[in-house]
Amino acid sequence: MPNSKLFKYPEEIKDKFISTKGLKFKNGTTVSSAEIWEFMTEEAPRRFPYAFDANANNIGRFSDDVHFLSGIKRAYLTLTFKDRLLKEHAAGTPTVLVQGGQAMDAYYAAGAIPVRPGLVMQWAQSMEEGLNLRQSETRGINILESGRRKISIDACNQISAHAAIDNKVVPIDLIAPFLCLRCSDMAFLVETHRNREHDIPRYMVDYPVDHENKPWAAEYIEVELKELITKIAALSGRKITDEVIFDEIRLENRGRKIANEIAELWWNAENPPINSTDFFAIAFLANDFLGDPVASVDLLEQSKQEIEERVKNNVKGYGVPDDAKRLYICGSCVGPNAHHAETAGAVFVGRDDNWSCISVLVEEEGNPYLNIAKSMLEYPYEQRTEKRAEWTAEQVRRSRASGVIFMYQWGCNYQSGVARMISDIIREKTGVPTTFVEVGELGRSEATEQSTNRVEAFIEMV
Amino acid sequence: MSLNKNFFAGVDVGSLAAKSVILQDGEIFATGLVPSGVNSVESGLNALNLALETAGLKKEDLTYIVGTGYGRVSAPYANKAVTEITCHAKGTNYLHPTVRTIIDMGGQDCKAIRIDKDGAVIDFAMNDKCAAGTGRFLEVMAGVFKVRLEDLGAIALAATDTVPMSSTCTVFAESETISLVARGEKPENILSGIHHSIANRIAGLFSRVGIESDVFFSGGVAKNIGMKNAIEEALKVTIVKPEIDPQLIGALGAAVLARSFSKKEGLWA
């Protein structure tokens, strides 16, 4: 049952935690570790009790590895997302709804804060404080169903992000996603915002889906990016030069490089140095900078040092089972419950969607628009299905995965369409067992029997 | 508690029935099967107590209990929980070591399972979309025709024709069935169509995991002769005749695992 027990950071780690570095933010401010500790142990449990629910089925449950101190800072970034964005927005920084899995360099360079649908959903849920897990979930479901009522009962759960924007639950100033083929949500998004009357401007950034062997594709996206940045700059009032964009590219490249180094450390360690929850939460900071690339890159650097220390001392992350089965996760938006998977004897080693963008660096010299365009065309997740599967198979090999789970959300017509083909190709190329699971829990707080049963059975099989 | 190495139990709490099997020295000693209620702990205990009563044992006489089925997450009486996929594999292998492919149809889902000679799962596929061959789907259809669930298969065998069914949702299939009845189609022909449509969807599950003889059919729906025949036709296989009630296979596998786990944990040599 939810709320049976709330998770608390133990006092005995306080002194060590507050002796560590704080975090720097892009607006030039800093927060000390003592302030982070105060927030995470006093303020946040009061304001966001659902986030501290220790129920094993709590999908968003924080890591139990309290001695991995960067993990606490990562949770801090999650729980301060609402405050940070509202503050920035009030100060004139535009917020922009973007597509998942795409580079954010252009948006941040133009002076905006890009927010993906998943983060919009979390943000919307956090706008009412003091809710327990079930109350929070009920709030999320109410937003979701209001979206379905407007568009279609068959819409993917991502529709709740658009409902939250439409209903002004969260302030979004521009709707400007790339229209790449990765998510049914995009089709619903286009319909939501094209056919409804509201005052939020929109700019659908076109993306040549069938871009293989099309020399014009990069230049096509370059033109789109210029238009996008011009539109955002008009909102932010920022003067955009090539050097401004390169500064952002360099910062985000640094994040991507560190995330790759962390993955190499983790993959090659004798014992997984941090658990699945921490691994994904930290590494994927380079895929979604949680509203602040400066703070995210700062935390990535701190995390890497901690992980290096653990690898050197052969420390295994708390919660990682002995002889853990190594699972590679495929698909967008939804994934298995990490706590549950670890209890069942597995650990997560990677995820194709999030890793796609992290794996491609942007060139740091020349034409920044064209460079970003070229990198976007290289994202493995956006390639034709066979090519995407081959890249994923290589990731499976590199991460020494012993099994692959492709999970997709009910209503996602793109991922459901490719799940079997990708699973079969990976199995054929690597010899590793694969499975695919359709779930209905995107945006839900608690994992369902349908998904946990399949994941557990697969782990038993592996 | 004094440990008795002789008795091991498996408890399988499914959506429609709770089952229990007690093994003594590796042989089936007693079984229990009761309808599942809303309280899965109680349902599992009822099934276990029925088997204990039949065996003349007390719970304390059991060395180890494994829980399985959807109710395994609420089984405080069990030492360990294992998914029903693994348990059906072990239970089938225990009874029929030559079986390499299992079709398991229970109350709320349907599974295609491939196993090796030791009963280890080597691949599986599940489909719990409601019209994909679940006991609940057949229960709804029995309601439409106002016949007993256990009689559906036999009625379907009397069909002179098979009415194609296309719906992929229990509710739509039910309304499609009602409209067919209204058009004057014979119930047995409609039921034959229902059984064949389910069998075809099960064949879809096997397109991924493959089929290797021998083939076994477990779960509550395996008692439906019409379903068995339709599956044999769709998969072009002959299903191995079960030695015990096929609804007990999951619980049997759990009991087999209970014996194995307790040995591994050093509870007996």
Side-chain angles (χ1 to χ4, degrees), chain A residues 106-327:
Chain A
Y107 298 95
Y108 279 118
I113 296 180
V115 193
R116 292 175 175 159
L119 219 47
V120 169
M121 289 155 73
Q122 287 178 34
W123 186 12
Q125 264 176 278
S126 72
M127 290 298 280
E128 186 178 344
E129 299 188 357
L131 302 183
N132 64 30
L133 189 65
R134 190 143 289 171
Q135 289 166 331
S136 168
E137 171 146 65
T138 302
R139 176 177 165 80
I141 287 173
N142 288 340
I143 296 171
L144 162 70
E145 294 304 335
S146 76
R148 287 221 174 104
R149 279 195 293 275
K150 285 177 182 173
I151 300 299
S152 162
I153 58 164
D154 293 323
C156 161
N157 290 16
Q158 291 272 29
I159 200 69
S160 61
H162 310 303
I165 294 167
D166 239 15
N167 299 340
K168 307 276 178 167
V169 179
V170 294
I172 291 289
D173 302 302
L174 177 68
I175 294 159
F178 287 97
L179 298 179
C180 41
L181 274 183
R182 58 165 29 242
C183 172
S184 282
D185 173 53
M186 284 303 108
F188 289 116
L189 178 145
V190 171
E191 288 312 305
T192 309
H193 300 294
R194 186 171 63 183
N195 294 328
R196 291 188 63 77
E197 287 300 318
H198 55 53
D199 55 0
I200 306 170
R202 54 198 177 272
Y203 178 65
M204 304 297 173
V205 191
D206 202 12
Y207 182 93
V209 173
D210 184 15
H211 55 74
E212 197 168 272
N213 302 320
K214 305 274 192 321
W216 51 265
E219 286 172 17
Y220 183 79
I221 296 180
E222 180 196 356
V223 173
E224 291 284 303
L225 282 170
K226 280 182 176 162
E227 182 68 17
L228 171 70
I229 288 180
T230 303
K231 283 187 187 300
I232 297 175
L235 293 171
S236 69
R238 193 170 195 187
K239 186 173 181 322
I240 309 299
T241 63
D242 284 3
E243 199 45 40
V244 166
I245 303 173
F246 274 128
D247 282 347
E248 189 61 38
I249 289 171
R250 282 190 280 270
L251 175 66
E252 297 193 22
N253 267 352
R254 201 159 97 228
R256 290 184 273 260
K257 282 176 193 165
I258 299 167
N260 278 294
E261 288 161 6
I262 286 173
E264 289 296 335
L265 274 170
W266 198 100
W267 287 344
N268 296 316
E270 192 177 326
N271 278 308
I274 52 176
N275 63 32
S276 309
T277 304
D278 281 324
F279 183 34
F280 279 14
I282 293 296
F284 298 165
L285 275 173
N287 170 244
D288 190 324
F289 295 93
L290 289 178
D292 199 312
V294 172
S296 293
V297 173
D298 187 12
L299 183 53
L300 275 161
E301 280 169 346
Q302 292 186 39
S303 304
K304 190 187 154 200
Q305 282 178 15
E306 252 192 294
I307 294 166
E308 278 174 334
E309 195 63 23
R310 282 190 168 199
V311 171
K312 197 170 83 185
N313 296 318
N314 200 16
V315 173
K316 188 178 71 173
Y318 182 84
V320 177
D322 291 333
D323 301 320
K325 308 301 174 201
R326 297 165 70 97
L327 299 183

Side-chain angles (χ1 to χ4, degrees), chain A residues 340 408 410 420 423-424 427 433-436 438 449-450 452-458 460-462, chain B residues 69-70 72-73 81-86 108-109 111 121-124 126-129 204 207-208:
Chain A
H340 179 264
Y408 57 91
W410 173 87
R420 177 168 174 181
S423 302
D424 286 353
R427 186 169 59 174
T434 64
T435 191
F436 48 92
E438 179 182 278
E449 163 67 10
Q450 190 197 21
T452 53
N453 185 39
R454 281 154 179 71
V455 170
E456 199 174 324
F458 185 72
E460 286 171 359
M461 187 187 89
V462 170
Chain B
Y70 89 93
R72 73 186 182 283
V73 293
V82 178
T83 65
E84 65 272 25
I85 294 166
T86 299
Q108 65 180 3
D109 59 33
K111 309 170 190 83
V121 178
I122 54 175
D123 206 353
F124 71 94
M126 285 176 78
N127 191 340
D128 60 0
K129 288 198 176 59
S207 72
R208 176 167 160 82

Side-chain angles (χ1 to χ4, degrees), chain A residues 78-98:
Chain A
T78 297
L79 292 182
T80 54
F81 185 77
K82 168 192 171 181
D83 294 351
R84 290 186 289 110
L85 256 72
L86 290 178
K87 193 175 167 191
E88 287 290 328
H89 186 260
T93 304
T95 48
V96 182
L97 177 72
V98 302

